Amino acid sequence: MSEPNTDSPFMTTKELAVHVRRSVATVRGWRHRGTGPKGVKAGRGVLYRRDVVEAWLKAQEDADELARRAVA
């Protein structure tokens, strides 16, 4: 899958899944458990702000002890 259009400040669940290279089911599981980036219900779907997704990814990276040692 190719990276979707990035003109919008929002991503769909499918776009987020492509962005983080995980399945849609995984992203939905993160939302259900409250472990993924914050999203907002929009009709029958969920939208994620790109800036929130990037901040969440940065927080995941910062929390990963092995990743921090690898770049040190």
Side-chain angles (χ1 to χ4, degrees), residues 17-71:
V18 169
H19 186 67
V20 297
R21 297 182 179 191
R22 296 293 178 258
S23 70
V24 170
T26 295
V27 173
R28 286 182 179 140
W30 290 342
R31 180 166 166 74
H32 178 74
R33 290 187 303 278
T35 59
K38 301 284 185 205
V40 62
K41 189 82 167 154
R44 295 180 69 188
V46 177
L47 294 176
Y48 300 88
R49 291 187 59 85
R50 288 182 189 280
D51 57 341
V52 171
V53 169
E54 293 307 319
W56 176 78
L57 286 170
K58 176 74 171 113
Q60 298 304 302
E61 182 180 309
D62 292 347
D64 186 346
E65 179 64 31
L66 290 176
R68 285 190 310 207
R69 280 191 260 155
V71 296

Side-chain angles (χ1 to χ4, degrees), residues 1-22 24 27 46-48 50 53:
M1 284 191 239
S2 63
E3 187 68 22
N5 183 350
T6 59
D7 291 341
S8 172
F10 297 100
M11 304 170 87
T12 63
T13 300
K14 184 175 180 180
E15 289 170 336
L16 175 57
V18 169
H19 186 67
V20 297
R21 297 182 179 191
R22 296 293 178 258
V24 170
V27 173
V46 177
L47 294 176
Y48 300 88
R50 288 182 189 280
V53 169

